[in-house]
Amino acid sequence: MATLYIHIGHGKTGSSWIQTCLRMSRDALLQKGILYAPGDDRYLNHPNRITSGNGSNLFKSKIDFENHLKENQNREVASLLFSSEHIFWDIIESDADRYLEETAKVHGFDQVKLLLFIRNPIAMAVSIWQQRIKRRGDHDVTLSNLHERMEIGYDSVVFVEELFTRLKNYSHVDLTVRNYSVCRDRLIEVTAEWLGVPAGIFTQPAIRRVNRSLTWSELVFQKSLNSIIGPSGNLFSDPLCENLPDMEHEPIFPPVALQKAIWDKLSPHIERINDQIPENHRYQCDIQEPFSPPDKLTFSPEQINIISESLGNEILRLRNLHSDYIPVKVIVFSVI
């Protein structure tokens, strides 16, 4: 039986780690009859590199979906596997549910299996806030005014409910939901079970995390850098996360009153979703003690070396870019 496997994310649920393992285990999966399709990550060999997997554009449109399936047809391999955290959003935004099952069947797939990881809502909201600082250049939202961006942490839960609603009428589309907050230390085991292969076939990187969270000091520095030059995670956050992947970070949570407000707003959606999820993977109320920022920021010698190298190389690049520029002295005459 040919199966189309799609790990659809969503964001901040260990997708980068899973994709690293899938990429490193491509040959082993192939022996089990599953092709992890070539994608944007096909030429990466370094396990620490942060990617978006091999299915970033899978559901940008129906034509994109059809092209991906055509390009990866392999008579010797029955099943096909894609992974990207962007797929979660694209399925909704491109109305992919309308053509997913039919198109897969036309291309020879008897069934479609989706794997979705969710995450407890407070931790999710904080993680999305941090990610926006790393990736989008946000600098004006703090833990205390997180409520001013009410979409932070809400959209993911609302979209999960929307996904359930859209897929419930399809007989050959199977959605598996697992709670990252519950199984974050067993992501490969969970993924292997979903694929129906032994977990032992996977090659795993020596590092414990891919695309880790920032420490408080790193977060403050990145926000300040964003306020001056805009999105700049490639100059600061990415080098730190890729070169110091196992650095411990503080458990950062906003004031309790704000956490309660987030939970209360999401509770109606969570109750409806939890009715459709296995009990041990349901959303849980994760209100915790708030984080008290330290008075001083601290950086280890390793952090300082990485920051200096990254920013220094960018300065040198810009200098070389303009090395042919010859300044012209301009004499200004004033008329009295």
Side-chain angles (χ1 to χ4, degrees), residues 17 21 24-25 188-189 199 202-207:
W17 168 265
C21 295
M24 296 176 68
S25 307
I188 286 305
E189 288 81 357
F202 285 92
T203 299
Q204 300 185 35
I207 58 175

Side-chain angles (χ1 to χ4, degrees), residues 143-144 216 250-255 288-296:
L143 278 177
S144 299
W216 179 255
E250 304 90 335
I252 299 173
F253 283 85
Q288 299 190 33
E289 287 296 316
F291 174 71
S292 297
D295 295 330
K296 297 181 179 180

Side-chain angles (χ1 to χ4, degrees), residues 10-11 14 22 57 73 85 103-104 126 146 153 172 188 220 277 297 301:
H10 54 63
L22 294 176
N57 299 313
Q73 284 183 335
E85 64 184 54
T103 304
V126 173
L146 194 62
H172 298 288
I188 286 305
V220 173
I277 296 177
L297 305 181

Side-chain angles (χ1 to χ4, degrees), residues 6-260:
I6 310 176
H7 165 227
I8 65 175
H10 54 63
K12 310 313 300 174
T13 58
S15 295
S16 297
W17 168 265
I18 293 172
Q19 288 153 8
T20 297
C21 295
L22 294 176
R23 189 171 71 244
M24 296 176 68
S25 307
R26 181 176 269 115
D27 291 342
L29 286 167
L30 204 57
Q31 293 178 8
K32 296 294 182 180
I34 301 173
L35 172 64
Y36 180 64
D40 295 339
D41 59 355
R42 73 180 70 189
Y43 300 116
L44 291 178
N45 294 317
H46 198 295
N48 298 14
R49 291 292 180 261
I50 301 168
T51 76
S52 297
N54 69 343
S56 297
N57 299 313
L58 188 63
F59 288 115
K60 289 297 182 182
S61 69
K62 182 180 179 181
I63 293 176
D64 285 312
F65 184 47
E66 290 177 334
N67 287 339
H68 274 81
L69 297 185
K70 289 178 183 177
E71 290 169 3
N72 291 284
Q73 284 183 335
N74 189 323
R75 294 180 181 179
E76 298 178 1
V77 182
S79 298
L80 187 59
L81 170 60
F82 292 97
S83 172
S84 174
E85 64 184 54
H86 300 303
I87 294 176
F88 170 67
W89 307 101
D90 289 343
I91 285 179
I92 302 295
E93 293 175 355
S94 71
D95 295 322
D97 55 289
R98 296 184 178 180
Y99 57 79
L100 171 59
E101 184 178 56
E102 179 183 352
T103 304
K105 187 178 298 184
V106 168
H107 286 82
F109 295 100
D110 304 293
Q111 59 180 345
V112 180
K113 288 192 173 184
L114 307 179
L115 175 62
L116 169 68
F117 286 92
I118 60 174
R119 186 171 182 176
N120 289 338
I122 311 302
M124 186 68 186
V126 173
S127 188
I128 290 176
W129 167 64
Q130 292 189 44
Q131 186 73 357
R132 290 188 174 194
I133 293 171
K134 289 169 67 174
R135 293 282 175 268
R136 299 191 184 182
D138 279 9
H139 59 85
D140 57 342
V141 181
T142 69
L143 278 177
S144 299
N145 67 9
L146 194 62
H147 62 286
E148 294 178 7
R149 295 280 185 89
M150 297 305 288
E151 79 279 9
I152 295 181
Y154 295 115
D155 286 352
S156 58
V157 175
V158 173
F159 269 44
V160 168
E161 185 176 15
E162 175 71 12
L163 191 66
F164 272 109
T165 301
R166 292 187 177 217
L167 296 179
K168 66 181 180 181
N169 295 323
Y170 294 94
S171 56
H172 298 288
V173 178
D174 178 67
L175 175 63
T176 296
V177 180
R178 296 292 180 259
N179 190 336
Y180 168 82
S181 303
V182 173
C183 62
R184 63 190 304 164
D185 296 325
R186 301 193 310 86
L187 293 178
I188 286 305
E189 288 81 357
V190 171
T191 304
E193 181 182 6
W194 170 66
L195 290 170
V197 301
I201 73 167
F202 285 92
T203 299
Q204 300 185 35
I207 58 175
R208 293 179 295 162
R209 305 184 188 96
V210 176
N211 195 18
R212 67 166 171 86
S213 297
L214 298 178
T215 67
W216 179 255
S217 297
E218 291 170 342
L219 200 62
V220 173
F221 191 104
Q222 182 67 76
K223 284 183 65 177
S224 180
L225 194 60
N226 290 344
S227 68
I228 298 171
I229 64 174
S232 48
N234 63 311
L235 297 177
F236 183 78
S237 297
D238 286 353
L240 286 166
C241 292
E242 291 177 352
N243 290 284
L244 293 174
D246 290 330
M247 173 161 277
E248 295 297 333
H249 52 85
E250 304 90 335
I252 299 173
F253 283 85
V256 171
L258 178 54
Q259 294 184 59
K260 289 181 177 178

